[in-house]
Amino acid sequence: MKKISIIVPIYNEIDSINEIIEKINNTDFDSLEKEIILVDDASTDGSTDILKGMQDRYKIIFHTKNQGKGAALRTGFAAATGDITIIQDADLEYNPEDYIPLVKAIKKGNADVVYGSRLYNKDYEQNFLKTSLFANKFLTKMTNILFFANLTDMETCYKAFKSNILKEITIKSDRFDFEPEITAKILKKGIKIKEHPISYNGRQYEEGKKITWKDGLHAVLTLIKYRFSD
Protein backbone atom coordinates (compact mmCIF):
# COMPACT_ATOMS: atom_id res chain seq x y z
CA MET A 1 0.00 0.00 0.00
CA LYS A 2 1.42 3.32 -1.09
CA LYS A 3 -1.28 5.98 -0.79
CA ILE A 4 -3.90 7.15 1.68
CA SER A 5 -6.95 9.28 0.89
CA ILE A 6 -8.08 11.60 3.68
CA ILE A 7 -11.65 12.76 3.19
CA VAL A 8 -12.60 15.98 4.99
CA PRO A 9 -16.30 16.99 4.82
CA ILE A 10 -16.68 20.69 5.59
CA TYR A 11 -19.69 22.78 6.49
CA ASN A 12 -19.23 26.17 8.19
CA GLU A 13 -15.87 25.45 9.87
CA ILE A 14 -14.10 28.73 9.11
CA ASP A 15 -12.45 28.83 12.55
CA SER A 16 -10.79 25.43 12.26
CA ILE A 17 -10.14 24.70 8.57
CA ASN A 18 -6.57 25.98 8.45
CA GLU A 19 -5.55 24.35 11.71
CA ILE A 20 -6.99 20.91 10.93
CA ILE A 21 -5.36 20.88 7.48
CA GLU A 22 -2.05 21.83 9.08
CA LYS A 23 -2.43 18.97 11.57
CA ILE A 24 -3.14 16.53 8.73
CA ASN A 25 -0.09 17.75 6.83
CA ASN A 26 2.08 17.34 9.93
CA THR A 27 0.95 13.75 10.53
CA ASP A 28 3.02 10.95 9.01
CA PHE A 29 0.49 8.27 8.07
CA ASP A 30 3.03 5.45 8.19
CA SER A 31 4.99 7.05 5.30
CA LEU A 32 2.05 6.76 2.89
CA GLU A 33 1.58 9.36 0.17
CA LYS A 34 -1.25 11.67 1.27
CA GLU A 35 -4.21 12.60 -0.89
CA ILE A 36 -6.23 15.24 0.98
CA ILE A 37 -9.76 15.63 -0.40
CA LEU A 38 -11.78 18.55 0.97
CA VAL A 39 -15.52 18.54 0.28
CA ASP A 40 -17.27 21.83 0.97
CA ASP A 41 -20.97 21.18 1.57
CA ALA A 42 -22.12 24.65 0.51
CA SER A 43 -20.76 26.53 3.53
CA THR A 44 -22.19 29.97 4.25
CA ASP A 45 -19.67 31.32 6.78
CA GLY A 46 -16.73 32.08 4.49
CA SER A 47 -15.24 28.57 4.54
CA THR A 48 -15.80 28.31 0.79
CA ASP A 49 -13.64 31.37 0.10
CA ILE A 50 -10.80 29.95 2.17
CA LEU A 51 -10.99 26.64 0.32
CA LYS A 52 -10.96 28.35 -3.08
CA GLY A 53 -7.56 29.72 -2.15
CA MET A 54 -6.23 26.18 -1.60
CA GLN A 55 -7.22 24.64 -4.93
CA ASP A 56 -3.63 24.57 -6.16
CA ARG A 57 -2.57 22.40 -3.19
CA TYR A 58 -5.45 20.01 -2.53
CA LYS A 59 -8.27 18.19 -4.28
CA ILE A 60 -11.30 20.33 -3.38
CA ILE A 61 -14.90 19.65 -4.38
CA PHE A 62 -17.70 22.16 -3.85
CA HIS A 63 -21.36 21.25 -3.37
CA THR A 64 -23.68 23.99 -4.68
CA LYS A 65 -26.37 22.92 -2.19
CA ASN A 66 -25.99 21.75 1.41
CA GLN A 67 -26.68 18.02 1.48
CA GLY A 68 -25.18 16.69 4.72
CA LYS A 69 -22.12 14.83 5.95
CA GLY A 70 -23.05 11.52 4.36
CA ALA A 71 -23.47 13.16 0.95
CA ALA A 72 -20.14 14.96 1.32
CA LEU A 73 -18.43 11.68 2.18
CA ARG A 74 -19.96 9.96 -0.87
CA THR A 75 -18.50 12.71 -3.01
CA GLY A 76 -15.10 12.31 -1.35
CA PHE A 77 -15.09 8.52 -1.62
CA ALA A 78 -15.86 8.73 -5.34
CA ALA A 79 -12.86 11.00 -5.87
CA ALA A 80 -10.43 8.98 -3.72
CA THR A 81 -7.57 7.10 -5.38
CA GLY A 82 -5.70 5.85 -2.30
CA ASP A 83 -5.25 2.25 -1.14
CA ILE A 84 -6.58 3.27 2.29
CA THR A 85 -9.37 5.78 2.93
CA ILE A 86 -9.98 7.63 6.20
CA ILE A 87 -12.43 10.27 7.39
CA GLN A 88 -11.42 13.48 9.15
CA ASP A 89 -13.98 15.99 10.42
CA ALA A 90 -13.05 19.63 9.83
CA ASP A 91 -13.38 20.58 13.50
CA LEU A 92 -10.75 19.97 16.20
CA GLU A 93 -12.52 17.28 18.24
CA TYR A 94 -10.13 14.61 16.95
CA ASN A 95 -6.33 14.51 16.63
CA PRO A 96 -5.02 13.22 13.24
CA GLU A 97 -2.01 11.64 14.96
CA ASP A 98 -4.44 9.14 16.52
CA TYR A 99 -4.95 7.72 13.04
CA ILE A 100 -1.42 6.30 12.87
CA PRO A 101 -2.08 2.94 14.65
CA LEU A 102 -5.36 2.49 12.73
CA VAL A 103 -3.60 2.95 9.41
CA LYS A 104 -0.69 0.71 10.42
CA ALA A 105 -3.08 -2.14 11.25
CA ILE A 106 -4.50 -2.01 7.72
CA LYS A 107 -1.16 -1.49 6.02
CA LYS A 108 0.32 -4.51 7.80
CA GLY A 109 -2.64 -6.68 6.82
CA ASN A 110 -3.96 -7.08 10.37
CA ALA A 111 -7.36 -5.53 9.58
CA ASP A 112 -9.56 -4.38 6.71
CA VAL A 113 -11.52 -1.81 8.73
CA VAL A 114 -10.44 -0.08 11.95
CA TYR A 115 -12.45 2.36 14.09
CA GLY A 116 -10.90 4.81 16.51
CA SER A 117 -12.80 4.40 19.77
CA ARG A 118 -13.33 7.40 22.04
CA LEU A 119 -14.91 5.10 24.64
CA TYR A 120 -12.21 2.44 24.77
CA ASN A 121 -10.60 4.56 27.47
CA LYS A 122 -13.16 5.76 30.04
CA ASP A 123 -10.98 8.77 30.85
CA TYR A 124 -12.30 10.51 27.74
CA GLU A 125 -15.95 10.15 28.74
CA GLN A 126 -15.66 13.48 30.58
CA ASN A 127 -15.06 15.19 27.23
CA PHE A 128 -18.54 14.27 25.94
CA LEU A 129 -21.75 16.16 26.39
CA LYS A 130 -23.85 13.98 28.71
CA THR A 131 -26.57 13.53 26.10
CA SER A 132 -24.00 12.63 23.44
CA LEU A 133 -22.32 10.10 25.73
CA PHE A 134 -25.63 8.38 26.46
CA ALA A 135 -26.60 8.37 22.77
CA ASN A 136 -23.25 6.95 21.70
CA LYS A 137 -23.38 4.14 24.23
CA PHE A 138 -27.01 3.33 23.39
CA LEU A 139 -26.43 3.27 19.63
CA THR A 140 -23.29 1.17 20.00
CA LYS A 141 -25.11 -1.31 22.22
CA MET A 142 -27.93 -1.48 19.71
CA THR A 143 -25.42 -2.13 16.91
CA ASN A 144 -23.82 -4.95 18.88
CA ILE A 145 -27.18 -6.60 19.56
CA LEU A 146 -28.50 -6.30 16.01
CA PHE A 147 -25.31 -7.32 14.22
CA PHE A 148 -23.65 -9.60 16.80
CA ALA A 149 -20.68 -7.26 17.10
CA ASN A 150 -18.48 -6.15 19.97
CA LEU A 151 -17.87 -2.46 19.34
CA THR A 152 -17.35 0.27 21.93
CA ASP A 153 -17.88 3.36 19.71
CA MET A 154 -19.92 2.93 16.54
CA GLU A 155 -20.54 6.66 16.07
CA THR A 156 -16.86 7.65 15.96
CA CYS A 157 -15.71 9.83 13.09
CA TYR A 158 -12.37 8.02 12.90
CA LYS A 159 -12.92 5.15 10.54
CA ALA A 160 -10.17 3.68 8.35
CA PHE A 161 -10.91 1.34 5.44
CA LYS A 162 -9.20 -0.60 2.74
CA SER A 163 -10.48 1.45 -0.17
CA ASN A 164 -11.64 -1.56 -2.16
CA ILE A 165 -14.15 -2.35 0.60
CA LEU A 166 -15.73 1.10 0.31
CA LYS A 167 -16.08 0.64 -3.44
CA GLU A 168 -18.19 -2.46 -2.81
CA ILE A 169 -20.66 -0.58 -0.58
CA THR A 170 -23.32 1.86 -1.75
CA ILE A 171 -23.99 4.59 0.82
CA LYS A 172 -27.43 6.19 0.68
CA SER A 173 -27.48 8.30 3.87
CA ASP A 174 -27.05 12.03 3.39
CA ARG A 175 -26.57 13.12 7.00
CA PHE A 176 -25.04 11.71 10.19
CA ASP A 177 -26.86 8.43 9.63
CA PHE A 178 -23.84 7.58 7.48
CA GLU A 179 -22.19 6.15 10.61
CA PRO A 180 -24.79 3.44 11.36
CA GLU A 181 -25.29 2.68 7.66
CA ILE A 182 -21.63 2.06 6.85
CA THR A 183 -21.19 0.07 10.07
CA ALA A 184 -24.25 -2.09 9.38
CA LYS A 185 -23.22 -2.82 5.81
CA ILE A 186 -19.65 -3.71 6.77
CA LEU A 187 -20.81 -6.08 9.51
CA LYS A 188 -23.39 -7.70 7.22
CA LYS A 189 -20.60 -8.46 4.75
CA GLY A 190 -18.90 -10.47 7.50
CA ILE A 191 -16.01 -8.03 7.85
CA LYS A 192 -14.69 -7.71 11.39
CA ILE A 193 -14.23 -4.15 12.62
CA LYS A 194 -11.19 -3.70 14.82
CA GLU A 195 -10.94 -0.81 17.28
CA HIS A 196 -8.08 1.22 18.70
CA PRO A 197 -8.37 3.85 21.45
CA ILE A 198 -8.19 7.52 20.44
CA SER A 199 -8.42 10.84 22.27
CA TYR A 200 -11.42 13.15 22.04
CA ASN A 201 -12.15 16.80 22.76
CA GLY A 202 -15.86 17.27 22.16
CA ARG A 203 -17.33 20.65 21.28
CA GLN A 204 -20.31 22.40 22.81
CA TYR A 205 -23.21 23.44 20.59
CA GLU A 206 -22.24 27.09 20.90
CA GLU A 207 -18.82 26.12 19.53
CA GLY A 208 -20.35 24.72 16.35
CA LYS A 209 -21.38 21.15 17.19
CA LYS A 210 -24.07 20.16 14.68
CA ILE A 211 -25.42 16.70 15.56
CA THR A 212 -28.76 16.73 17.45
CA TRP A 213 -31.24 14.33 19.05
CA LYS A 214 -33.00 14.04 15.70
CA ASP A 215 -29.85 12.52 14.25
CA GLY A 216 -29.86 10.00 17.08
CA LEU A 217 -33.39 8.98 16.16
CA HIS A 218 -32.39 8.64 12.50
CA ALA A 219 -29.46 6.45 13.60
CA VAL A 220 -31.82 4.08 15.44
CA LEU A 221 -34.08 3.80 12.39
CA THR A 222 -31.07 3.31 10.11
CA LEU A 223 -29.72 0.44 12.20
CA ILE A 224 -33.11 -1.30 12.15
CA LYS A 225 -33.55 -0.67 8.42
CA TYR A 226 -30.21 -2.17 7.40
CA ARG A 227 -30.49 -5.08 9.81
CA PHE A 228 -33.49 -6.35 7.88
CA SER A 229 -32.81 -5.02 4.37
CA ASP A 230 -29.97 -4.08 2.04
Side-chain angles (χ1 to χ4, degrees):
M1 293 187 174
K2 298 180 179 180
K3 186 176 183 180
I4 185 167
S5 297
I6 303 151
I7 315 300
V8 187
I10 299 166
Y11 178 65
N12 290 351
E13 297 290 359
I14 191 170
D15 293 330
S16 59
I17 289 176
N18 289 318
E19 186 173 350
I20 196 61
I21 292 174
E22 181 181 2
K23 286 179 178 291
I24 294 170
N25 280 321
N26 289 338
T27 300
D28 179 5
F29 292 98
D30 204 24
S31 300
L32 292 166
E33 176 190 350
K34 280 181 275 192
E35 175 183 57
I36 301 175
I37 302 176
L38 308 168
V39 183
D40 178 52
D41 195 28
S43 294
T44 59
D45 68 340
S47 297
T48 302
D49 294 331
I50 291 177
L51 292 169
K52 285 179 178 178
M54 301 179 179
Q55 288 178 288
D56 59 332
R57 288 169 283 166
Y58 308 108
K59 186 180 291 188
I60 304 179
I61 305 168
F62 298 93
H63 284 178
T64 57
K65 179 181 178 182
N66 179 255
Q67 301 174 55
K69 181 179 179 178
L73 289 174
R74 276 202 308 272
T75 297
F77 293 158
T81 61
D83 304 296
I84 298 173
T85 300
I86 65 175
I87 302 165
Q88 172 67 58
D89 282 351
D91 55 42
L92 300 171
E93 291 189 331
Y94 297 80
N95 182 355
E97 289 188 357
D98 285 342
Y99 253 130
I100 296 172
L102 281 68
V103 171
K104 282 185 177 180
I106 294 177
K107 188 179 177 185
K108 291 180 179 180
N110 297 326
D112 294 328
V113 179
V114 188
Y115 284 13
S117 174
R118 302 162 293 173
L119 297 172
Y120 210 93
N121 186 337
K122 291 186 179 296
D123 291 343
Y124 290 112
E125 289 188 6
Q126 62 185 342
N127 295 333
F128 281 80
L129 293 172
K130 289 184 178 179
T131 52
S132 295
L133 179 61
F134 172 80
N136 274 275
K137 287 187 173 183
F138 175 80
L139 291 170
T140 299
K141 185 69 172 178
M142 185 176 178
T143 302
N144 291 338
I145 292 171
L146 289 174
F147 298 95
F148 309 103
N150 192 30
L151 298 174
T152 62
D153 189 5
M154 179 276 289
E155 285 282 334
T156 179
C157 161
Y158 270 16
K159 294 175 167 69
F161 313 87
K162 278 187 178 178
S163 296
N164 65 300
I165 290 176
L166 281 178
K167 296 183 186 302
E168 297 172 357
I169 296 174
T170 299
I171 296 298
K172 299 180 179 180
S173 299
D174 287 335
R175 291 181 51 78
F176 294 107
D177 42 349
F178 162 82
E179 313 292 358
E181 181 183 358
I182 189 68
T183 303
K185 291 185 173 181
I186 286 171
L187 292 172
K188 286 185 77 172
K189 288 174 70 70
I191 299 171
K192 183 177 180 180
I193 299 173
K194 289 197 172 183
E195 289 185 305
H196 194 281
I198 61 170
S199 59
Y200 182 63
N201 184 29
R203 293 191 294 182
Q204 303 291 320
Y205 284 106
E206 57 268 23
E207 296 174 304
K209 193 171 187 66
K210 300 177 178 70
I211 196 166
T212 69
W213 68 268
K214 292 182 180 179
D215 296 299
L217 177 58
H218 284 303
V220 169
L221 297 176
T222 299
L223 286 171
I224 294 172
K225 175 182 177 179
Y226 289 113
R227 174 62 184 89
F228 299 105
S229 75
D230 294 326

